[in-house]
Structures are given as C-alpha cells and as structure tokens.
Amino acid sequence: MDELQNKTVLSIQDLSISFGGIKAVDHLSFDVDEGEIFGLIGPNGAGKTTVFNCITQFYKPNHGSIRFKSKQGKTIELTTHKVHEVIGYGLVRTFQNVELIKELSILDNVLIGGHIDFKTSFIGQAFNTKKSKAEEALYRQEAIEILTFLGIADRKDWLVYGQPYGILKKIELARSLMCKPKLIILDEPAAGLNDLETLDFAKVIRQIRQRYNCSILLVEHDMRLVMDVCDRICAINFGKFLAVGTPGQIQKSPTVQAAYLGTENPA
Amino acid sequence: MIKKLSSYKKGQPLIKNAYMSYALFGLFLALMPLFGYLGIIKSSYVTIIASVIYYSIAALGLNVLLGWTGLISLGTAGFMGLAAYISAYITYNMHLPFEIALVTAVVVSTLLGVLVGYISLRIEGIYLAIATLAVAEILRKTFEVFDPFTGGASGKPISYPTLFFFYKYSRADLKIFETLLYLILVLFLIAVMILVHNLMKGQVGRALNALRGSEAAAQAMGINLLKYRLFAFGFASATASLAGVLYVHYNRYTNPDRWLLALSLNLVAAIIIGGVRNIYGTILGVFIVVATKDMVLAQIPYFANNPNFALMFNGILIILIILYYPYGLIRIGADLKKLVVKIKEKF
Ligand SMILES: Nc1ncnc2c1ncn2[C@@H]1O[C@H](COP(=O)(O)OP(=O)(O)OP(=O)(O)O)[C@@H](O)[C@H]1O
Ligand SMILES: [Mg+2]
C-alpha cells in the first residue's frame, strides 16, 4: 500500500459496492485534504450515506481502497479494519438517522464518544478507584466544555428522550468531538435546523476545524450551507462520480446541473 | 416549556450518597435475625427475606444483561443450579471449605455463561431466549441423571460448610451457622449492589447502554460488541452462580426441581416489576415476586385460603406494570412526589 501524500488525509479509490442488483457506489474516487471541509453531494439515493458506511466499515466494499492518515501518523487501509477500530485512528462519524441512547442524559450520551479514551480497567471501575474517579471527572468536564461550545450545556442532565431534532443532531456532533478526531464525517448535520440556526451552524463547523485541527467530510442537502462552508465538493449520482471542485466550479458544472435538474430540488 | 422538559430529568435519590444508602440498607437487612429473635417479626420471615436476598443477587446480574444490555436470558436457574451442585459437592463430598467451593462454582458457571454469550453474537431476541432456555434445561436434566454428584431427582441434602477455612460445623453451633450464613448473604448482596452501581454509572455502563440503545452508535464509538456482550453474560452468570452457591448452603439442600424455567421467568418478571436498570427496583421486584405471597397476601384471609390466587395476582401485576408503568414500581415514590407538586401548583 502506498503512503498517503503529505496533505491527503483520506483517499478513496475505485470504490464500489452493490446491494443485489443496485450499484449503490460505482467506481468512485476522491481525496480529502488535511484541514479541509469537504462536501459530498448528490440527489436522494445517490449513495452518499453508503460511501460513509463504507469508509467507517459498516459496509465492506466489494471493490476499491480507502486509505486514511491516522492520528498516529500512519497510512492505513481502512477496509482491513473492524468497524469498532476505526475511531481509534481518529476517524469518527455521525448518522443521518440520529443514533442516540434515549434513556440516557445528554451528557452521558456525549461521554459514550469518549469510550476508547478511558484507560481504567473493569476492575478499577468496579472498585471505583481514585484513578477511575479522576478519569470520569476529566471526561465529564471535557464533555461539558463541548456542550458549552455547541450551546446546549444548559440541558446536559436532561434525557435525550423528547429533545427536538436539531438538538439531537447537535448531541451526536458533540459525541463525535469527544475523541479529538482527525477526520469527522457528518451525515446531514443541519437537518432539523431552521434558516437562522443553519447560518449559525456554518460558523460552528469552521470553529470545529480550528479547535480540533481536523478535516470535515459532510453530506448535506442544504445547498447554501454546503456552498458556504465547503472548501471543495464532490458531486455524485447513482453512485458514480460527477465532478469535484470548489463550490464555484461545482455550481457551474454542466454534469452536476443536469443531475440535479433531472431530479427534484435537492434542498 | 422549561418546566415540561425538566420533567425528563433524572430523579434525585432519597439519600444523596449511594454508598451510605447501601450500607444502611445492609445494616437493616442484617438486623432481621435479631428482629426475629426479639419477636418483632415472625422468625419464618427471616428465611423468606434470605430468599429475597439470594434471588436479588441473581436478579441484579440479570438486570445488567436484560436491563442495561438489552439481551434476554432464560437460563438463570440453570446457572444457579449448576453452581449450587458444584459447591455442595466440593464442601459436602470433598470436605473443602466454603470459600474454595464458592470460587470454583462461580468460575465454572461463569465460563459456561461466557460461552453462551459467545453464541449470542449470532442469534438475538426470541432465538437467544430459546437457546439460553435450552442450556438451562440441559443442565437441569444433568442434575437429574448425574446421581453420584447430584443425588438425582430425590435431591442432595448437605450440612453447613466449613467457614473461613477453620470454623467447622457441629450441631451445637446450628444457630450460629444459620445466622452467619444469613449475614454472608447480606454482605454479598450489598457487595453486588455496589459492584453494579460502580460499573453501571461509568464507562462500562454507558457501553452496555449503547449496545442496547444503538449498536451502530456503539460500534462507531469504538465499543467492541463481542467484548461487552461477553462481559454482560459473564456478569449475569457470575451473580446467578453466586446466588446458587448461597442458596444451597443457606438451605442445605437442593434438587433439580428448584431450578425450573419458572424461576428464571420469575427473575425476569421481578426486574420488569421492580425496575429495569434500577438497583433497589430489582430488589423490590424480587420481594414482590417471591415474598409478597407469603408475607403480605397470606395475611389477607381470602388469599390465605386460595394460594393460587396469589400467583394470579403476581401475573396480573406484571401485565399491568408492563402496560402502564414500564420503568417499574421503584419510580412510584418519585412520580407521587411529582403528582403532589403538580396538584399544589394547580391550587
Ligand atoms: N443496506 C442496504 N441494503 C440495500 N440497499 C441499500 C442499503 N444501503 C443503501 N442501499 C441503497 O443504496 C442506494 C444509495 O443509498 P444511500 O442511502 O447511500 O443514498 P443517499 O445518497 O445517502 O440518499 P439520501 O440523500 O436520501 O440520504 C439506495 O438505492 C439505497 O436503497
Ligand atoms: Mg443518506
């Protein structure tokens, strides 16, 4: 396997996966650079979520390679790793259909994002040792800081159950920040936000990049947000590559326009 | 709006320091033999409370599996029985001390539990329930046919074991041994309560919650499903086998009919009645399932004359709670408090 070049953090090459007869992703290639906010766009059913599932190993692709420059500074082939190992390399994701634990408080949900950082053993936790307590307190503090950063710290002790959709999306985002990621993959993070909140959210995304010195790969249907916040965008349709470039280039691309005109308004 | 949402906050416990409350609860239980001796409670009640204690130990572990992890097991009775027979054999037939028997019995049945946990990775829901049930039934059949070890269908009477490696049982010490074993029961219950409390409030508990609430989220956050499923199964079988060991030495008897599916089902019912993912709730549930029949309903003349109706009463209670009170009876205090506050606000 070739090492990734200096500025590339994620390199997808010739990725394909099909379900039955449907080619959900079809020979797709693109690269994400360090510190880049990168958008993946396409009409409904284009295969965006499937690409995310392949990167994070929820699906094993039929073909292709997905290389990642890990937090530890090594280039790794993600397809050879198990799904729960991925976060350890500094690659974390959120879900399009929120995946939270309803019966837990918001704070506890965020703390799940710190799971792999806990070093205390089962035994240490069973005896509630000093080290265990200190570790718990440390990550609790970190979680509260993240919630404060996202503006929802006042609700930290409330159950996730019954929270509005926009808040749920923020809790998932907060959870993904706990591991101090190198690359965050966000699947429709602004769903459920109103216009004003969406504007605000663009700021948050930029702040996240700065704070964590990370790259962000996002899928989003709100085109104003995507065009505003992304450095580069890759457009796909029917699992196939259409174009990659700056927001300006993508907007002007005739193939992208054709894909979107062929379907309903994506926003 | 804020008011409404804040009602989803977690309730505050009666005694702030959890360890203090466990210690007081333990002290309260430990005084029961004294109360019995002084005639404050019927002395037969001490035996009933002892049964609440050992079944609670098993139920607490089962709650970790069922409540926190969301995996079903109908094999609890099998694991309890296995450990009971092993411990009985080691103390009574091999004349080894209680402590050695305890450790051996718990280790052996926990390993078996972990093995079942491994199977659980392939099957889920109703199929897992059937698989665990099958394991328990196989164990029970084994108790019946393995005469030389188990005494077969007629059961295995034993005498009190050697305690603390030196204290040998003699007839003159009957009362002392009975009380000592009761106190050992209490000690183990409190230890298990604290263990569950410590483990479930931190990283391990959150991981198990994640397994139940969203496997996708759990995996994405780096939680190894296999590891935590094995842990949950191992923990449930460890407490079940501990309970089995305590059962056999407290009662000095076991037979295959003590380890029927009905017991496993009762423990599941206890958790649902008392409170899923709630430590005191589990104990309350066990109390309702195993003790109300004798300690409460038997006081009411109608039920005393119709013991079968007492069983029906439990069944109806379970159905009502599942339908209308899914967090279990342990929430009743907090909910009543809320109701009072609401009523006060209105007037
Ligand atoms: N597990 C699966 N089994 C079968 N088909 C699947 C599976 N996952 C995705 N697909 C199919 O793959 C195609 C791409 O789906 P995907 O969810 O990736 O689209 P998307 O671009 O994320 O769409 P949306 O914008 O609606 O979220 C769809 O036709 C979908 O039905
Ligand atoms: Mg999608």
Side-chain angles (χ1 to χ4, degrees):
Chain A
M1 182 186 56
D2 295 334
E3 291 285 312
L4 286 174
Q5 295 198 325
N6 266 340
K7 65 182 178 68
T8 311
V9 69
L10 178 77
S11 172
I12 293 173
Q13 271 162 18
D14 217 15
L15 183 71
S16 297
I17 187 169
S18 40
F19 301 104
I22 307 165
K23 283 191 170 164
V25 181
D26 197 0
H27 298 286
L28 180 69
S29 305
F30 66 86
D31 285 356
V32 179
D33 289 343
E34 303 242 14
E36 191 172 34
I37 299 177
F38 191 98
L40 183 63
I41 63 167
N44 286 110
K48 306 177 294 293
T49 300
T50 307
V51 171
F52 281 10
N53 282 334
C54 287
I55 297 173
T56 49
Q57 301 310 306
F58 277 84
Y59 297 160
K60 290 289 172 193
N62 302 130
H63 183 259
S65 100
I66 305 168
R67 283 175 302 157
F68 179 63
K69 179 88 67 57
S70 75
K71 197 149 96 169
Q72 294 80 9
K74 276 198 194 134
T75 300
I76 55 165
E77 175 59 52
L78 284 172
T79 49
T80 61
H81 289 85
K82 295 205 179 93
V83 53
H84 68 264
E85 293 167 352
V86 169
I87 191 174
Y89 297 113
L91 174 54
V92 71
R93 70 172 293 181
T94 65
F95 294 87
Q96 180 172 354
N97 309 309
V98 179
E99 294 281 350
L100 291 165
I101 291 79
K102 291 192 190 67
E103 301 86 359
L104 289 188
S105 71
I106 293 179
L107 184 61
D108 280 334
N109 266 280
V110 175
L111 277 164
I112 291 173
H115 179 84
I116 57 161
D117 292 326
F118 277 83
K119 296 286 174 280
T120 318
S121 64
F122 282 37
I123 307 280
Q125 291 183 53
F127 287 99
N128 199 22
T129 55
K130 266 216 182 78
K131 186 180 158 218
S132 173
K133 269 191 263 188
E135 206 171 33
E136 180 82 14
L138 173 75
Y139 290 120
R140 215 155 257 271
Q141 193 51 44
E142 257 183 56
I144 292 172
E145 273 163 30
I146 292 172
L147 287 169
T148 311
F149 165 58
L150 293 178
I152 51 172
D154 52 334
R155 321 179 167 229
K156 70 178 167 49
D157 295 322
W158 295 357
L159 297 189
V160 161
Y161 179 83
Q163 296 290 335
Y165 196 65
I167 298 287
L168 298 181
K169 282 280 177 188
K170 280 199 170 164
I171 302 168
E172 268 217 329
L173 181 59
R175 182 178 67 190
S176 74
L177 295 177
M178 275 301 282
C179 70
K180 300 183 198 69
K182 186 147 188 234
L183 173 63
I184 312 175
I185 298 185
L186 304 173
D187 203 343
E188 304 195 12
L193 300 184
N194 63 31
D195 285 2
L196 215 68
E197 289 168 330
T198 306
L199 266 171
D200 211 40
F201 191 67
K203 259 187 264 164
V204 171
I205 290 186
R206 289 200 190 87
Q207 281 170 348
I208 288 175
R209 163 169 62 182
Q210 233 184 1
R211 240 176 106 117
Y212 295 89
N213 194 17
C214 63
S215 314
I216 295 166
L217 170 58
L218 64 91
V219 162
E220 184 49 61
H221 280 300
D222 189 320
M223 281 306 141
R224 282 165 307 168
L225 177 68
V226 173
M227 296 300 163
D228 173 22
V229 83
C230 291
D231 301 316
R232 282 193 308 146
I233 295 166
C234 174
I236 62 174
N237 197 15
F238 299 114
K240 285 197 181 71
F241 177 88
L242 290 181
V244 68
T246 62
Q249 291 168 335
I250 290 295
Q251 272 166 323
K252 286 193 209 91
S253 157
T255 41
V256 176
Q257 282 172 0
Y260 273 105
L261 288 175
T263 63
E264 281 180 277
N265 182 354
Chain B
M1 180 69 179
I2 295 286
K3 255 252 145 69
K4 187 165 164 274
L5 280 173
S6 68
S7 69
Y8 291 124
K9 264 190 177 181
K10 278 187 194 158
Q12 282 295 321
L14 210 60
I15 300 170
K16 277 272 164 56
N17 184 330
Y19 300 117
M20 186 60 107
S21 94
Y22 297 143
L24 287 175
F25 183 63
L27 188 68
F28 171 72
L29 288 178
L31 287 173
M32 288 301 154
L34 185 68
F35 290 167
Y37 180 73
L38 294 175
I40 299 172
I41 59 170
K42 280 192 206 166
S43 56
S44 67
Y45 283 9
V46 179
T47 317
I48 299 175
I49 291 169
S51 73
V52 172
I53 294 176
Y54 47 70
Y55 288 132
S56 288
I57 290 174
L60 280 167
L62 184 61
N63 208 343
V64 168
L65 183 71
L66 181 72
W68 270 278
T69 320
L71 294 170
I72 183 85
S73 166
L74 294 180
T76 315
F79 291 103
M80 284 182 78
L82 177 62
Y85 279 110
I86 293 175
S87 192
Y89 189 82
I90 292 176
T91 54
Y92 188 67
N93 301 75
M94 296 169 71
H95 308 288
L96 288 171
F98 169 70
E99 289 78 5
I100 291 178
L102 175 85
V103 172
T104 315
V106 170
V107 167
V108 171
S109 25
T110 303
L111 287 179
L112 186 64
V114 170
L115 206 68
V116 175
Y118 195 78
I119 301 171
S120 86
L121 265 189
R122 320 232 168 272
I123 52 176
E124 252 161 65
I126 190 77
Y127 299 102
L128 180 58
I130 293 168
T132 52
L133 171 70
V135 171
E137 279 303 297
I138 291 168
L139 284 171
R140 198 178 61 81
K141 266 279 169 250
T142 315
F143 305 152
E144 273 176 18
V145 296
F146 243 54
D147 264 37
F149 290 95
T150 64
S154 55
K156 188 178 182 74
I158 59 171
S159 71
Y160 282 122
T162 304
L163 289 176
F164 320 118
F165 292 95
F166 73 89
Y167 192 15
K168 281 200 167 55
Y169 173 68
S170 68
R171 215 161 244 281
D173 292 344
L174 180 78
K175 267 278 162 229
I176 301 180
F177 264 80
E178 199 180 294
T179 313
L180 267 178
L181 270 161
Y182 178 85
L183 293 178
I184 290 173
L185 285 180
V186 174
L187 218 62
F188 272 113
L189 173 66
I190 303 307
V192 170
M193 287 170 84
I194 292 175
L195 199 63
V196 172
H197 173 95
N198 284 349
L199 284 171
M200 293 306 111
K201 78 177 165 55
Q203 183 218 21
V204 175
R206 284 190 295 268
L208 299 183
N209 267 301
L211 245 61
R212 183 194 74 251
S214 163
E215 275 189 10
Q219 289 179 299
M221 296 304 128
I223 295 165
N224 184 341
L225 297 188
L226 175 63
K227 181 175 160 189
Y228 283 90
R229 280 191 173 197
L230 293 188
F231 169 78
F233 266 100
F235 191 81
S237 358
T239 58
S241 44
L242 173 62
V245 170
L246 296 173
Y247 173 99
V248 78
H249 294 298
Y250 186 79
N251 294 301
R252 288 174 293 159
Y253 179 73
T254 170
N255 71 29
D257 282 352
R258 303 286 163 111
W259 315 114
L260 299 175
L261 170 64
L263 173 59
S264 304
L265 286 172
N266 269 337
L267 292 176
V268 171
I271 290 169
I272 295 167
I273 291 176
V276 173
R277 296 189 291 283
N278 188 305
I279 291 171
Y280 283 115
T282 309
I283 297 163
L284 177 66
V286 171
F287 182 86
I288 289 171
V289 170
V290 308
T292 42
K293 192 162 59 67
D294 297 318
M295 285 175 71
V296 183
L297 296 181
Q299 310 301 316
I300 304 165
Y302 177 77
F303 284 120
N305 297 329
N306 303 285
N308 280 338
F309 282 101
L311 282 177
M312 269 174 65
F313 175 83
N314 271 350
I316 292 167
L317 196 64
I318 294 171
I319 293 168
L320 287 179
I321 290 172
I322 293 172
L323 284 178
Y324 299 108
Y325 222 70
Y327 288 103
L329 285 182
I330 200 75
R331 286 281 183 95
I332 245 176
D335 283 355
L336 282 179
K337 215 161 74 187
K338 257 182 228 155
L339 195 71
V340 171
V341 172
K342 244 190 216 160
I343 292 169
K344 268 190 194 155
E345 270 171 7
K346 279 213 170 121
F347 297 103

